[in-house]
Amino acid sequence: MKDTSSKNSIQHVGIIMDGNGRWAQQRGMPRWKGHEAGARAVRRATEEACRQGVSMLTLFAFSNENWKRPAQEVHILFTLLHRYLREERKELIEKGIRLSTLGRRDRIPARVLEDLQMTEEATRTGTRLHLRLALDYGARQEIVMAARALARRVVAGDLHPEEIDEVRFAAALVPDPVPDPDLIIRTAGEQRLSNFLLWQSAYSELYFCPKPWPDFEEADLACAIADYHSRTRKFGDLPRAAVSI
Ligand code: FPP
């Protein structure tokens, strides 16, 4: 029997925003101009995610490997993030968008951290969309920290090694449980995850968009989500159509 059931539900979308530097270089501009245009694309993607009914959007804004970039580029990236937090706070509140981050916080410049905490606090009750910025983030680092936290509990006699299962491990990754990403998008034609949400992406659908991030528009997110809806998600099971025969 043909499966006529409704399309896949979509709660959580992750985006690896790539290609800012190439976008700028192709236009004879300095790389930072690409990051500046990338910040505008963040606003567009956030608005479209709301329109599409997505409840969580995780954006890879700064990896723990990005510290290797020239100090001036790192400075510009945090300056753009700082500007974004100051300029967008009011609108985030008005639109019911909650902002939070994942990743290390101890290396974020103090001036940015202060505004980040203010924005997180001011938007905490937003229910329309939860916008998460992965900042100084690396999935392997996240997994190692979770393993370390569980090991400490075992040493303290609070947990038996046999009690460590997928649910406990996932809970150790982040303080608040969040749904795994249904869809992960990467721009600029690269086809890899680059240390983004490695544990959580076990069953995520992947979508690769050839456009560099600054050119990513509302319609591109809508296209990615439409493509996601056309896919058959099985999670190791049989497709629903086959089950109903
Ligand atoms: C990848 O492009 C992008 C980044 C490393 C940073 C993403 C930052 C922004 C979109 C701007 C500010 C963010 C917010 C949340 C306001 P790349 O530089 O690696 O591009 P390339 O591969 O072409 O060099």
Side-chain angles (χ1 to χ4, degrees):
M1 207 163 94
K2 197 169 185 299
D3 184 13
T4 53
S5 55
S6 61
K7 53 192 187 175
N8 297 318
S9 70
I10 188 154
Q11 277 188 280
H12 183 182
V13 175
I15 307 185
I16 303 171
M17 309 182 286
D18 195 12
N20 292 352
R22 275 164 285 173
W23 180 91
Q25 279 161 346
Q26 279 158 11
R27 286 161 178 75
M29 297 172 176
R31 288 177 57 82
W32 70 265
K33 281 279 185 190
H35 296 314
E36 188 183 56
R40 290 195 288 274
V42 166
R43 293 180 178 97
R44 293 197 295 272
T46 305
E47 279 175 23
E48 184 60 20
C50 287
R51 274 193 289 272
Q52 291 283 334
V54 167
S55 54
M56 180 170 285
L57 179 66
T58 303
L59 302 178
F60 204 176
F62 192 87
S63 83
N64 58 1
E65 281 109 13
N66 286 154
W67 293 108
K68 293 183 213 151
R69 294 192 178 200
Q72 199 194 4
E73 181 163 341
V74 170
H75 178 78
I76 286 169
L77 280 167
F78 279 105
T79 302
L80 286 169
L81 173 66
H82 198 194
R83 191 197 291 173
Y84 171 85
L85 293 169
R86 296 171 84 114
E87 290 179 359
E88 296 296 302
R89 189 178 301 136
K90 191 165 167 275
E91 202 155 323
L92 293 172
I93 297 167
E94 280 168 9
K95 289 187 171 153
I97 300 172
R98 173 182 172 198
L99 183 134
S100 72
T101 67
L102 58 159
R104 281 179 68 165
R105 291 172 81 104
D106 58 313
R107 298 191 287 192
I108 295 176
R111 68 196 157 96
V112 183
L113 192 58
E114 194 183 321
D115 270 284
L116 180 59
Q117 284 165 342
M118 280 170 67
T119 309
E120 284 178 323
E121 196 46 48
T123 62
R124 194 168 295 282
T125 54
T127 54
R128 186 155 181 226
L129 174 76
H130 185 173
L131 172 63
R132 302 194 314 156
L133 300 179
L135 278 183
D136 198 358
Y137 173 83
R140 286 184 173 183
Q141 169 188 271
E142 181 183 56
I143 291 168
V144 166
M145 297 314 269
R148 208 180 276 173
L150 290 171
R152 270 197 217 101
R153 289 185 57 197
V154 170
V155 169
D158 180 34
L159 186 68
H160 194 273
E162 304 307 320
E163 290 174 317
I164 301 174
D165 57 12
E166 291 183 20
V167 173
R168 276 220 165 79
F169 199 90
L173 285 171
V174 282
D176 303 322
V178 295
D180 287 343
D182 298 297
L183 171 67
I184 293 182
I185 299 168
R186 181 171 186 146
T187 60
E190 309 295 345
Q191 302 197 356
R192 54 179 176 270
L193 286 175
S194 298
N195 210 10
F196 183 58
L197 302 177
L198 296 183
W199 171 277
Q200 300 88 338
S201 63
Y203 290 100
S204 302
E205 297 295 324
L206 306 180
Y207 182 90
F208 301 105
C209 173
K211 285 187 178 181
W213 176 248
D215 284 341
F216 195 81
E217 291 175 350
E218 290 87 340
D220 297 307
L221 181 57
C223 238
I225 291 175
D227 186 85
Y228 163 84
H229 284 310
S230 74
R231 300 191 190 179
T232 303
R233 303 192 79 191
K234 298 192 297 182
F235 301 96
D237 199 348
L238 291 173
R240 271 174 293 173
V243 173
S244 63
I245 283 171

